Short mmCIF file of all heavy atoms in Angstrom, two decimals:
data_model
loop_
_atom_site.label_atom_id
_atom_site.label_comp_id
_atom_site.label_asym_id
_atom_site.label_seq_id
_atom_site.Cartn_x
_atom_site.Cartn_y
_atom_site.Cartn_z
N MET A 1 -15.24 -9.83 -36.53
CA MET A 1 -14.54 -10.12 -35.30
C MET A 1 -13.20 -9.36 -35.34
O MET A 1 -12.48 -9.40 -36.32
CB MET A 1 -14.30 -11.63 -35.20
CG MET A 1 -13.58 -11.99 -33.94
SD MET A 1 -14.01 -13.62 -33.33
CE MET A 1 -12.81 -14.65 -34.09
N PRO A 2 -12.84 -8.63 -34.24
CA PRO A 2 -11.61 -7.86 -34.24
C PRO A 2 -10.39 -8.77 -34.19
O PRO A 2 -10.41 -9.84 -33.60
CB PRO A 2 -11.70 -7.00 -32.98
CG PRO A 2 -12.72 -7.64 -32.12
CD PRO A 2 -13.60 -8.45 -33.03
N SER A 3 -9.34 -8.30 -34.83
CA SER A 3 -8.10 -9.07 -34.79
C SER A 3 -7.38 -8.80 -33.48
O SER A 3 -7.71 -7.86 -32.75
CB SER A 3 -7.22 -8.71 -35.97
OG SER A 3 -6.72 -7.40 -35.79
N HIS A 4 -6.37 -9.60 -33.21
CA HIS A 4 -5.60 -9.45 -31.98
C HIS A 4 -4.94 -8.07 -31.93
O HIS A 4 -4.76 -7.49 -30.86
CB HIS A 4 -4.55 -10.55 -31.91
CG HIS A 4 -3.74 -10.54 -30.64
ND1 HIS A 4 -3.31 -9.40 -30.02
CD2 HIS A 4 -3.30 -11.54 -29.85
CE1 HIS A 4 -2.64 -9.68 -28.94
NE2 HIS A 4 -2.61 -10.98 -28.81
N ASP A 5 -4.59 -7.50 -33.09
CA ASP A 5 -3.93 -6.20 -33.14
C ASP A 5 -4.87 -5.05 -32.75
O ASP A 5 -4.40 -3.99 -32.37
CB ASP A 5 -3.38 -5.95 -34.54
CG ASP A 5 -2.28 -6.93 -34.90
OD1 ASP A 5 -1.62 -7.45 -33.97
OD2 ASP A 5 -2.09 -7.20 -36.10
N ASP A 6 -6.18 -5.27 -32.85
CA ASP A 6 -7.14 -4.22 -32.52
C ASP A 6 -7.43 -4.13 -31.03
O ASP A 6 -8.02 -3.17 -30.57
CB ASP A 6 -8.47 -4.46 -33.26
CG ASP A 6 -8.31 -4.34 -34.78
OD1 ASP A 6 -7.33 -3.70 -35.21
OD2 ASP A 6 -9.14 -4.89 -35.50
N VAL A 7 -7.03 -5.13 -30.27
CA VAL A 7 -7.32 -5.17 -28.83
C VAL A 7 -6.20 -4.42 -28.10
O VAL A 7 -5.04 -4.74 -28.26
CB VAL A 7 -7.40 -6.63 -28.33
CG1 VAL A 7 -7.66 -6.67 -26.84
CG2 VAL A 7 -8.48 -7.39 -29.08
N PRO A 8 -6.55 -3.39 -27.31
CA PRO A 8 -5.52 -2.65 -26.61
C PRO A 8 -4.87 -3.52 -25.54
O PRO A 8 -5.48 -4.43 -24.99
CB PRO A 8 -6.27 -1.47 -25.98
CG PRO A 8 -7.67 -1.92 -25.88
CD PRO A 8 -7.89 -2.91 -27.03
N ASP A 9 -3.60 -3.21 -25.26
CA ASP A 9 -2.90 -3.91 -24.19
C ASP A 9 -3.43 -3.42 -22.85
O ASP A 9 -3.22 -2.27 -22.48
CB ASP A 9 -1.39 -3.67 -24.27
CG ASP A 9 -0.77 -4.37 -25.47
OD1 ASP A 9 -1.32 -5.40 -25.90
OD2 ASP A 9 0.26 -3.88 -25.97
N VAL A 10 -4.12 -4.28 -22.16
CA VAL A 10 -4.65 -3.95 -20.85
C VAL A 10 -3.80 -4.69 -19.82
O VAL A 10 -3.65 -5.91 -19.91
CB VAL A 10 -6.13 -4.40 -20.73
CG1 VAL A 10 -6.67 -4.12 -19.34
CG2 VAL A 10 -6.96 -3.70 -21.78
N PRO A 11 -3.22 -3.94 -18.87
CA PRO A 11 -2.38 -4.62 -17.89
C PRO A 11 -3.22 -5.54 -17.01
O PRO A 11 -4.39 -5.27 -16.74
CB PRO A 11 -1.77 -3.48 -17.07
CG PRO A 11 -2.67 -2.33 -17.27
CD PRO A 11 -3.31 -2.51 -18.63
N PRO A 12 -2.63 -6.63 -16.58
CA PRO A 12 -3.38 -7.53 -15.71
C PRO A 12 -3.61 -6.85 -14.36
O PRO A 12 -2.89 -5.93 -13.99
CB PRO A 12 -2.43 -8.73 -15.56
CG PRO A 12 -1.07 -8.18 -15.81
CD PRO A 12 -1.27 -7.06 -16.81
N PRO A 13 -4.63 -7.29 -13.65
CA PRO A 13 -4.87 -6.69 -12.33
C PRO A 13 -3.70 -7.01 -11.40
O PRO A 13 -3.00 -8.00 -11.59
CB PRO A 13 -6.16 -7.38 -11.86
CG PRO A 13 -6.26 -8.61 -12.66
CD PRO A 13 -5.56 -8.35 -13.95
N PRO A 14 -3.47 -6.14 -10.41
CA PRO A 14 -2.36 -6.39 -9.50
C PRO A 14 -2.59 -7.67 -8.69
O PRO A 14 -3.73 -8.05 -8.44
CB PRO A 14 -2.34 -5.16 -8.60
CG PRO A 14 -3.65 -4.52 -8.75
CD PRO A 14 -4.21 -4.94 -10.08
N PRO A 15 -1.51 -8.30 -8.28
CA PRO A 15 -1.67 -9.51 -7.48
C PRO A 15 -2.42 -9.21 -6.18
O PRO A 15 -2.23 -8.17 -5.56
CB PRO A 15 -0.22 -9.92 -7.19
CG PRO A 15 0.61 -9.23 -8.22
CD PRO A 15 -0.14 -7.98 -8.58
N LEU A 16 -3.26 -10.13 -5.80
CA LEU A 16 -4.08 -9.94 -4.60
C LEU A 16 -3.24 -9.81 -3.34
O LEU A 16 -3.63 -9.11 -2.41
CB LEU A 16 -5.08 -11.08 -4.45
CG LEU A 16 -6.22 -11.07 -5.47
CD1 LEU A 16 -7.14 -12.27 -5.24
CD2 LEU A 16 -7.01 -9.79 -5.38
N ASP A 17 -2.09 -10.47 -3.30
CA ASP A 17 -1.27 -10.36 -2.09
C ASP A 17 -0.75 -8.94 -1.90
O ASP A 17 -0.65 -8.46 -0.77
CB ASP A 17 -0.13 -11.38 -2.08
CG ASP A 17 0.79 -11.27 -3.29
OD1 ASP A 17 0.36 -10.78 -4.35
OD2 ASP A 17 1.95 -11.69 -3.16
N LEU A 18 -0.47 -8.22 -3.00
CA LEU A 18 -0.03 -6.83 -2.88
C LEU A 18 -1.18 -5.93 -2.43
O LEU A 18 -0.98 -5.03 -1.61
CB LEU A 18 0.55 -6.33 -4.20
CG LEU A 18 1.88 -6.94 -4.61
CD1 LEU A 18 2.30 -6.45 -5.99
CD2 LEU A 18 2.96 -6.64 -3.59
N LEU A 19 -2.36 -6.18 -2.95
CA LEU A 19 -3.53 -5.40 -2.50
C LEU A 19 -3.80 -5.65 -1.02
O LEU A 19 -4.07 -4.72 -0.26
CB LEU A 19 -4.76 -5.78 -3.33
CG LEU A 19 -4.78 -5.28 -4.77
CD1 LEU A 19 -5.95 -5.90 -5.52
CD2 LEU A 19 -4.86 -3.78 -4.81
N HIS A 20 -3.70 -6.90 -0.62
CA HIS A 20 -3.94 -7.25 0.78
C HIS A 20 -2.90 -6.57 1.67
O HIS A 20 -3.22 -6.07 2.75
CB HIS A 20 -3.89 -8.77 0.95
CG HIS A 20 -4.19 -9.21 2.34
ND1 HIS A 20 -3.20 -9.52 3.23
CD2 HIS A 20 -5.36 -9.37 2.99
CE1 HIS A 20 -3.75 -9.86 4.38
NE2 HIS A 20 -5.06 -9.78 4.26
N GLU A 21 -1.65 -6.53 1.23
CA GLU A 21 -0.61 -5.89 2.02
C GLU A 21 -0.88 -4.40 2.19
O GLU A 21 -0.72 -3.85 3.29
CB GLU A 21 0.76 -6.09 1.39
CG GLU A 21 1.87 -5.48 2.22
CD GLU A 21 3.24 -5.57 1.59
OE1 GLU A 21 3.36 -5.95 0.41
OE2 GLU A 21 4.20 -5.23 2.29
N VAL A 22 -1.32 -3.72 1.13
CA VAL A 22 -1.63 -2.29 1.23
C VAL A 22 -2.76 -2.06 2.22
O VAL A 22 -2.68 -1.16 3.08
CB VAL A 22 -1.97 -1.69 -0.16
CG1 VAL A 22 -2.57 -0.30 -0.02
CG2 VAL A 22 -0.74 -1.65 -1.03
N VAL A 23 -3.80 -2.86 2.15
CA VAL A 23 -4.92 -2.70 3.08
C VAL A 23 -4.47 -2.95 4.52
O VAL A 23 -4.83 -2.21 5.44
CB VAL A 23 -6.09 -3.64 2.68
CG1 VAL A 23 -7.16 -3.67 3.75
CG2 VAL A 23 -6.68 -3.20 1.35
N THR A 24 -3.66 -3.98 4.72
CA THR A 24 -3.17 -4.31 6.06
C THR A 24 -2.30 -3.18 6.60
O THR A 24 -2.43 -2.78 7.76
CB THR A 24 -2.38 -5.63 6.03
OG1 THR A 24 -3.24 -6.66 5.56
CG2 THR A 24 -1.84 -5.98 7.39
N ARG A 25 -1.40 -2.66 5.77
CA ARG A 25 -0.51 -1.57 6.20
C ARG A 25 -1.30 -0.29 6.46
O ARG A 25 -0.99 0.46 7.39
CB ARG A 25 0.56 -1.29 5.15
CG ARG A 25 1.48 -2.45 4.88
CD ARG A 25 2.34 -2.77 6.05
NE ARG A 25 3.26 -3.84 5.72
CZ ARG A 25 4.10 -4.37 6.56
NH1 ARG A 25 4.14 -3.95 7.81
NH2 ARG A 25 4.88 -5.34 6.20
N PHE A 26 -2.33 -0.04 5.66
CA PHE A 26 -3.17 1.13 5.90
C PHE A 26 -3.88 1.01 7.25
O PHE A 26 -3.93 1.97 8.02
CB PHE A 26 -4.20 1.32 4.78
CG PHE A 26 -5.09 2.50 5.03
CD1 PHE A 26 -4.66 3.78 4.74
CD2 PHE A 26 -6.34 2.33 5.59
CE1 PHE A 26 -5.47 4.88 5.01
CE2 PHE A 26 -7.16 3.42 5.84
CZ PHE A 26 -6.72 4.70 5.55
N ASP A 27 -4.39 -0.17 7.52
CA ASP A 27 -5.08 -0.40 8.79
C ASP A 27 -4.12 -0.19 9.97
O ASP A 27 -4.48 0.45 10.96
CB ASP A 27 -5.65 -1.82 8.81
CG ASP A 27 -6.48 -2.08 10.05
OD1 ASP A 27 -7.34 -1.25 10.39
OD2 ASP A 27 -6.25 -3.13 10.70
N ALA A 28 -2.89 -0.69 9.86
CA ALA A 28 -1.91 -0.52 10.93
C ALA A 28 -1.58 0.97 11.13
O ALA A 28 -1.46 1.44 12.27
CB ALA A 28 -0.65 -1.31 10.61
N TYR A 29 -1.43 1.69 10.02
CA TYR A 29 -1.14 3.12 10.12
C TYR A 29 -2.32 3.87 10.75
O TYR A 29 -2.13 4.73 11.62
CB TYR A 29 -0.82 3.71 8.75
CG TYR A 29 -0.66 5.21 8.78
CD1 TYR A 29 0.39 5.80 9.47
CD2 TYR A 29 -1.57 6.04 8.13
CE1 TYR A 29 0.53 7.18 9.52
CE2 TYR A 29 -1.43 7.41 8.17
CZ TYR A 29 -0.38 7.98 8.87
OH TYR A 29 -0.25 9.34 8.91
N ALA A 30 -3.53 3.54 10.34
CA ALA A 30 -4.71 4.21 10.89
C ALA A 30 -4.82 3.95 12.40
O ALA A 30 -5.15 4.86 13.16
CB ALA A 30 -5.97 3.73 10.17
N ARG A 31 -4.52 2.72 12.81
CA ARG A 31 -4.57 2.42 14.26
C ARG A 31 -3.49 3.19 15.01
O ARG A 31 -3.75 3.71 16.10
CB ARG A 31 -4.43 0.91 14.50
CG ARG A 31 -5.73 0.17 14.27
CD ARG A 31 -5.64 -1.30 14.62
NE ARG A 31 -5.05 -2.01 13.48
CZ ARG A 31 -3.92 -2.70 13.51
NH1 ARG A 31 -3.24 -2.84 14.62
NH2 ARG A 31 -3.46 -3.30 12.42
N ALA A 32 -2.28 3.26 14.44
CA ALA A 32 -1.20 3.99 15.10
C ALA A 32 -1.53 5.47 15.20
O ALA A 32 -1.29 6.11 16.22
CB ALA A 32 0.11 3.78 14.33
N ARG A 33 -2.10 5.98 14.16
CA ARG A 33 -2.47 7.41 14.15
C ARG A 33 -3.57 7.70 15.17
O ARG A 33 -3.52 8.69 15.89
CB ARG A 33 -2.92 7.79 12.75
CG ARG A 33 -3.36 9.18 12.60
CD ARG A 33 -2.52 9.91 11.67
NE ARG A 33 -3.04 11.27 11.66
CZ ARG A 33 -2.47 12.24 11.08
NH1 ARG A 33 -1.36 12.03 10.45
NH2 ARG A 33 -2.97 13.44 11.11
N ALA A 34 -4.55 6.82 15.25
CA ALA A 34 -5.64 7.02 16.21
C ALA A 34 -5.15 6.87 17.65
O ALA A 34 -5.63 7.55 18.55
CB ALA A 34 -6.76 6.03 15.93
N ALA A 35 -4.19 5.98 17.86
CA ALA A 35 -3.68 5.74 19.21
C ALA A 35 -2.78 6.87 19.68
O ALA A 35 -2.46 6.96 20.87
CB ALA A 35 -2.93 4.41 19.25
N ARG A 36 -2.37 7.72 18.79
CA ARG A 36 -1.50 8.84 19.16
C ARG A 36 -2.13 9.69 20.24
O ARG A 36 -1.45 10.15 21.16
CB ARG A 36 -1.22 9.68 17.91
CG ARG A 36 -0.44 10.93 18.19
CD ARG A 36 -0.14 11.69 16.93
NE ARG A 36 -1.33 11.91 16.12
CZ ARG A 36 -1.35 12.63 15.03
NH1 ARG A 36 -0.23 13.18 14.60
NH2 ARG A 36 -2.46 12.79 14.35
N ASP A 37 -3.43 9.91 20.16
CA ASP A 37 -4.13 10.78 21.11
C ASP A 37 -5.01 9.99 22.06
O ASP A 37 -5.99 10.52 22.59
CB ASP A 37 -4.98 11.80 20.34
CG ASP A 37 -4.15 12.66 19.41
OD1 ASP A 37 -3.01 13.01 19.80
OD2 ASP A 37 -4.61 12.96 18.30
N SER A 38 -4.66 8.75 22.32
CA SER A 38 -5.48 7.90 23.17
C SER A 38 -5.54 8.45 24.60
O SER A 38 -4.59 9.02 25.12
CB SER A 38 -4.90 6.48 23.21
OG SER A 38 -5.65 5.67 24.08
N VAL A 39 -6.68 8.24 25.23
CA VAL A 39 -6.87 8.65 26.62
C VAL A 39 -6.05 7.74 27.54
O VAL A 39 -5.55 8.18 28.57
CB VAL A 39 -8.38 8.58 26.99
CG1 VAL A 39 -8.60 8.96 28.44
CG2 VAL A 39 -9.18 9.47 26.07
N LEU A 40 -5.90 6.50 27.15
CA LEU A 40 -5.15 5.54 27.96
C LEU A 40 -3.65 5.63 27.63
O LEU A 40 -3.25 5.39 26.48
CB LEU A 40 -5.64 4.12 27.68
CG LEU A 40 -7.14 3.88 27.91
CD1 LEU A 40 -7.54 2.51 27.41
CD2 LEU A 40 -7.46 4.03 29.38
N PRO A 41 -2.82 5.97 28.61
CA PRO A 41 -1.39 6.12 28.34
C PRO A 41 -0.74 4.85 27.78
O PRO A 41 0.14 4.94 26.92
CB PRO A 41 -0.79 6.46 29.70
CG PRO A 41 -1.92 6.95 30.53
CD PRO A 41 -3.16 6.30 29.99
N GLY A 42 -1.18 3.69 28.20
CA GLY A 42 -0.60 2.45 27.72
C GLY A 42 -0.96 2.14 26.27
O GLY A 42 -0.30 1.34 25.61
N ALA A 43 -2.00 2.77 25.76
CA ALA A 43 -2.44 2.53 24.38
C ALA A 43 -1.83 3.52 23.40
O ALA A 43 -1.98 3.35 22.20
CB ALA A 43 -3.96 2.59 24.31
N ARG A 44 -1.16 4.54 23.90
CA ARG A 44 -0.60 5.56 23.02
C ARG A 44 0.59 5.01 22.24
O ARG A 44 1.31 4.14 22.70
CB ARG A 44 -0.14 6.77 23.83
CG ARG A 44 -1.28 7.58 24.35
CD ARG A 44 -0.80 8.87 24.97
NE ARG A 44 -1.89 9.48 25.69
CZ ARG A 44 -1.78 10.06 26.87
NH1 ARG A 44 -0.61 10.14 27.47
NH2 ARG A 44 -2.84 10.58 27.45
N THR A 45 0.76 5.56 21.06
CA THR A 45 1.93 5.19 20.25
C THR A 45 2.88 6.38 20.21
O THR A 45 2.49 7.52 20.41
CB THR A 45 1.54 4.81 18.81
OG1 THR A 45 0.88 5.92 18.21
CG2 THR A 45 0.65 3.61 18.77
N THR A 46 4.11 6.08 19.91
CA THR A 46 5.12 7.14 19.79
C THR A 46 5.10 7.67 18.37
O THR A 46 4.66 6.99 17.44
CB THR A 46 6.52 6.58 20.11
OG1 THR A 46 6.85 5.61 19.13
CG2 THR A 46 6.56 5.97 21.50
N PRO A 47 5.61 8.88 18.18
CA PRO A 47 5.72 9.40 16.81
C PRO A 47 6.58 8.48 15.93
O PRO A 47 6.33 8.35 14.74
CB PRO A 47 6.38 10.77 16.99
CG PRO A 47 6.02 11.18 18.38
CD PRO A 47 5.97 9.89 19.17
N ARG A 48 7.58 7.85 16.53
CA ARG A 48 8.44 6.94 15.77
C ARG A 48 7.65 5.72 15.28
O ARG A 48 7.82 5.29 14.14
CB ARG A 48 9.61 6.50 16.66
CG ARG A 48 10.71 5.87 15.88
CD ARG A 48 11.95 5.81 16.72
NE ARG A 48 12.21 4.43 17.03
CZ ARG A 48 13.08 4.02 17.92
NH1 ARG A 48 13.74 4.88 18.64
NH2 ARG A 48 13.27 2.75 18.11
N HIS A 49 6.79 5.18 16.13
CA HIS A 49 5.95 4.04 15.73
C HIS A 49 5.00 4.45 14.62
O HIS A 49 4.79 3.70 13.65
CB HIS A 49 5.18 3.51 16.94
CG HIS A 49 4.34 2.32 16.64
ND1 HIS A 49 3.00 2.41 16.37
CD2 HIS A 49 4.66 1.01 16.54
CE1 HIS A 49 2.52 1.21 16.12
NE2 HIS A 49 3.50 0.34 16.21
N GLU A 50 4.40 5.62 14.74
CA GLU A 50 3.50 6.11 13.70
C GLU A 50 4.24 6.31 12.38
O GLU A 50 3.75 5.94 11.31
CB GLU A 50 2.86 7.42 14.14
CG GLU A 50 1.84 7.96 13.16
CD GLU A 50 1.24 9.28 13.61
OE1 GLU A 50 1.31 9.61 14.80
OE2 GLU A 50 0.70 9.98 12.73
N GLN A 51 5.45 6.87 12.44
CA GLN A 51 6.23 7.08 11.24
C GLN A 51 6.61 5.75 10.59
O GLN A 51 6.58 5.61 9.37
CB GLN A 51 7.50 7.89 11.55
CG GLN A 51 8.31 8.23 10.32
CD GLN A 51 7.56 9.09 9.32
OE1 GLN A 51 6.95 10.09 9.69
NE2 GLN A 51 7.60 8.71 8.05
N ARG A 52 6.94 4.76 11.41
CA ARG A 52 7.29 3.44 10.87
C ARG A 52 6.09 2.82 10.15
O ARG A 52 6.22 2.25 9.07
CB ARG A 52 7.77 2.53 12.01
CG ARG A 52 8.02 1.11 11.63
CD ARG A 52 9.18 1.02 10.63
NE ARG A 52 9.29 -0.29 10.08
CZ ARG A 52 10.24 -1.15 10.37
NH1 ARG A 52 11.16 -0.83 11.23
NH2 ARG A 52 10.26 -2.33 9.82
N ALA A 53 4.90 2.96 10.74
CA ALA A 53 3.69 2.44 10.11
C ALA A 53 3.43 3.15 8.78
O ALA A 53 3.05 2.51 7.80
CB ALA A 53 2.49 2.59 11.04
N PHE A 54 3.67 4.47 8.74
CA PHE A 54 3.48 5.21 7.50
C PHE A 54 4.50 4.77 6.46
O PHE A 54 4.16 4.59 5.28
CB PHE A 54 3.58 6.72 7.75
CG PHE A 54 3.42 7.52 6.49
CD1 PHE A 54 2.17 7.73 5.94
CD2 PHE A 54 4.53 8.05 5.84
CE1 PHE A 54 2.01 8.45 4.76
CE2 PHE A 54 4.39 8.77 4.67
CZ PHE A 54 3.13 8.98 4.13
N ASP A 55 5.76 4.62 6.86
CA ASP A 55 6.80 4.18 5.92
C ASP A 55 6.48 2.81 5.34
O ASP A 55 6.69 2.56 4.15
CB ASP A 55 8.16 4.16 6.61
CG ASP A 55 8.66 5.55 6.98
OD1 ASP A 55 8.13 6.55 6.44
OD2 ASP A 55 9.58 5.63 7.82
N ASP A 56 5.98 1.90 6.19
CA ASP A 56 5.60 0.57 5.72
C ASP A 56 4.45 0.65 4.71
O ASP A 56 4.44 -0.06 3.70
CB ASP A 56 5.19 -0.33 6.90
CG ASP A 56 6.36 -0.72 7.77
OD1 ASP A 56 7.54 -0.54 7.36
OD2 ASP A 56 6.11 -1.20 8.90
N LEU A 57 3.47 1.52 4.99
CA LEU A 57 2.36 1.71 4.07
C LEU A 57 2.86 2.27 2.74
O LEU A 57 2.49 1.78 1.66
CB LEU A 57 1.33 2.67 4.67
CG LEU A 57 0.20 3.14 3.75
CD1 LEU A 57 -0.61 1.96 3.23
CD2 LEU A 57 -0.69 4.14 4.47
N GLN A 58 3.73 3.25 2.79
CA GLN A 58 4.26 3.85 1.58
C GLN A 58 5.04 2.82 0.75
O GLN A 58 4.91 2.79 -0.48
CB GLN A 58 5.15 5.03 1.95
CG GLN A 58 5.47 5.95 0.81
CD GLN A 58 6.16 7.21 1.30
OE1 GLN A 58 6.91 7.18 2.28
NE2 GLN A 58 5.90 8.31 0.65
N ALA A 59 5.81 1.98 1.39
CA ALA A 59 6.57 0.94 0.67
C ALA A 59 5.62 -0.06 0.01
O ALA A 59 5.85 -0.48 -1.13
CB ALA A 59 7.51 0.22 1.63
N ALA A 60 4.54 -0.43 0.70
CA ALA A 60 3.57 -1.36 0.13
C ALA A 60 2.87 -0.75 -1.09
O ALA A 60 2.65 -1.43 -2.10
CB ALA A 60 2.54 -1.77 1.19
N VAL A 61 2.53 0.54 -1.01
CA VAL A 61 1.90 1.22 -2.14
C VAL A 61 2.87 1.28 -3.32
O VAL A 61 2.47 1.04 -4.47
CB VAL A 61 1.42 2.63 -1.73
CG1 VAL A 61 1.02 3.45 -2.96
CG2 VAL A 61 0.26 2.53 -0.76
N ASN A 62 4.14 1.53 -3.05
CA ASN A 62 5.13 1.56 -4.13
C ASN A 62 5.26 0.20 -4.80
O ASN A 62 5.37 0.11 -6.02
CB ASN A 62 6.48 2.04 -3.62
CG ASN A 62 6.51 3.54 -3.38
OD1 ASN A 62 5.75 4.28 -4.00
ND2 ASN A 62 7.36 3.97 -2.48
N ARG A 63 5.26 -0.88 -4.01
CA ARG A 63 5.33 -2.22 -4.60
C ARG A 63 4.11 -2.48 -5.47
O ARG A 63 4.22 -3.06 -6.55
CB ARG A 63 5.45 -3.28 -3.50
CG ARG A 63 6.84 -3.37 -2.91
CD ARG A 63 7.00 -4.57 -2.01
NE ARG A 63 6.23 -4.48 -0.77
CZ ARG A 63 6.63 -3.82 0.31
NH1 ARG A 63 7.79 -3.21 0.33
NH2 ARG A 63 5.87 -3.80 1.38
N LEU A 64 2.93 -2.04 -5.02
CA LEU A 64 1.71 -2.20 -5.80
C LEU A 64 1.80 -1.41 -7.10
O LEU A 64 1.48 -1.93 -8.17
CB LEU A 64 0.50 -1.77 -4.99
CG LEU A 64 -0.85 -1.87 -5.66
CD1 LEU A 64 -1.17 -3.31 -6.03
CD2 LEU A 64 -1.94 -1.31 -4.76
N ARG A 65 2.25 -0.18 -7.02
CA ARG A 65 2.41 0.65 -8.24
C ARG A 65 3.38 0.00 -9.21
O ARG A 65 3.13 -0.04 -10.41
CB ARG A 65 2.93 2.03 -7.87
CG ARG A 65 1.88 2.97 -7.44
CD ARG A 65 2.45 4.37 -7.35
NE ARG A 65 1.50 5.24 -6.71
CZ ARG A 65 1.75 6.00 -5.67
NH1 ARG A 65 2.95 6.04 -5.15
NH2 ARG A 65 0.81 6.75 -5.15
N ASN A 66 4.49 -0.46 -8.70
CA ASN A 66 5.50 -1.06 -9.57
C ASN A 66 5.00 -2.35 -10.22
O ASN A 66 5.40 -2.66 -11.33
CB ASN A 66 6.79 -1.34 -8.79
CG ASN A 66 7.50 -0.06 -8.41
OD1 ASN A 66 7.31 0.99 -9.03
ND2 ASN A 66 8.33 -0.13 -7.38
N SER A 67 4.13 -3.06 -9.57
CA SER A 67 3.59 -4.28 -10.15
C SER A 67 2.63 -3.98 -11.29
O SER A 67 2.44 -4.81 -12.18
CB SER A 67 2.87 -5.12 -9.10
OG SER A 67 1.60 -4.58 -8.79
N ALA A 68 2.05 -2.78 -11.29
CA ALA A 68 1.08 -2.41 -12.32
C ALA A 68 1.75 -1.85 -13.57
O ALA A 68 1.11 -1.74 -14.60
CB ALA A 68 0.10 -1.39 -11.77
N ARG A 69 3.03 -1.52 -13.46
CA ARG A 69 3.74 -0.97 -14.63
C ARG A 69 4.04 -2.09 -15.61
O ARG A 69 4.43 -3.18 -15.21
CB ARG A 69 5.04 -0.31 -14.19
CG ARG A 69 4.78 0.94 -13.42
CD ARG A 69 6.06 1.68 -13.18
NE ARG A 69 5.75 2.89 -12.44
CZ ARG A 69 6.50 3.37 -11.46
NH1 ARG A 69 7.61 2.78 -11.12
NH2 ARG A 69 6.14 4.46 -10.85
N PRO A 70 3.91 -1.79 -16.88
CA PRO A 70 4.23 -2.81 -17.87
C PRO A 70 5.72 -3.14 -17.84
O PRO A 70 6.55 -2.24 -17.67
CB PRO A 70 3.83 -2.19 -19.21
CG PRO A 70 3.49 -0.78 -18.95
CD PRO A 70 3.43 -0.56 -17.46
N GLN A 71 6.02 -4.40 -17.96
CA GLN A 71 7.41 -4.85 -17.98
C GLN A 71 7.89 -4.87 -19.41
O GLN A 71 7.35 -5.61 -20.23
CB GLN A 71 7.52 -6.24 -17.35
CG GLN A 71 7.00 -6.31 -15.94
CD GLN A 71 7.80 -5.44 -14.97
OE1 GLN A 71 9.00 -5.35 -15.09
NE2 GLN A 71 7.11 -4.79 -14.06
N HIS A 72 8.88 -4.07 -19.73
CA HIS A 72 9.44 -4.03 -21.09
C HIS A 72 10.76 -4.79 -21.10
O HIS A 72 11.57 -4.61 -20.20
CB HIS A 72 9.67 -2.59 -21.55
CG HIS A 72 8.39 -1.83 -21.69
ND1 HIS A 72 7.49 -2.07 -22.70
CD2 HIS A 72 7.86 -0.84 -20.94
CE1 HIS A 72 6.47 -1.24 -22.56
NE2 HIS A 72 6.66 -0.50 -21.50
N PRO A 73 10.98 -5.60 -22.12
CA PRO A 73 12.25 -6.35 -22.19
C PRO A 73 13.44 -5.47 -22.46
O PRO A 73 13.46 -4.40 -22.82
CB PRO A 73 12.04 -7.32 -23.35
CG PRO A 73 10.81 -6.91 -24.06
CD PRO A 73 10.10 -5.91 -23.21
#
């Protein structure tokens, strides 16, 4: 039987709330991007709205990445 020292340090999986946030932000960005060229003028988004959705997605991905990094004392 292997000792505790033989087992590599495997980081825990990221919290589900962070994964859910990334998926939600990606969906919002994809919708904003698709609405950019909408046939219906009322459904179109502005470049500023699309950029905000992208920035939110990028921030969520960064939070997810940071949660996966090992915490050193």
Side-chain angles (χ1 to χ4, degrees):
M1 181 150 91
S3 70
H4 183 321
D5 295 334
D6 295 339
V7 179
D9 289 333
V10 177
L16 289 179
D17 58 335
L18 290 175
L19 288 171
H20 183 261
E21 182 184 9
V22 168
V23 170
T24 301
R25 298 293 183 183
F26 178 81
D27 185 48
Y29 174 66
R31 280 185 277 120
R33 178 118 182 172
R36 174 177 51 175
D37 301 323
S38 177
V39 178
L40 304 171
R44 288 188 192 139
T45 59
T46 64
R48 195 165 111 191
H49 182 263
E50 183 181 340
Q51 184 62 47
R52 174 64 190 253
F54 179 78
D55 292 343
D56 290 345
L57 171 60
Q58 196 170 33
V61 169
N62 285 335
R63 283 190 291 278
L64 179 61
R65 277 190 190 127
N66 291 338
S67 76
R69 290 188 180 141
Q71 303 297 322
H72 295 289

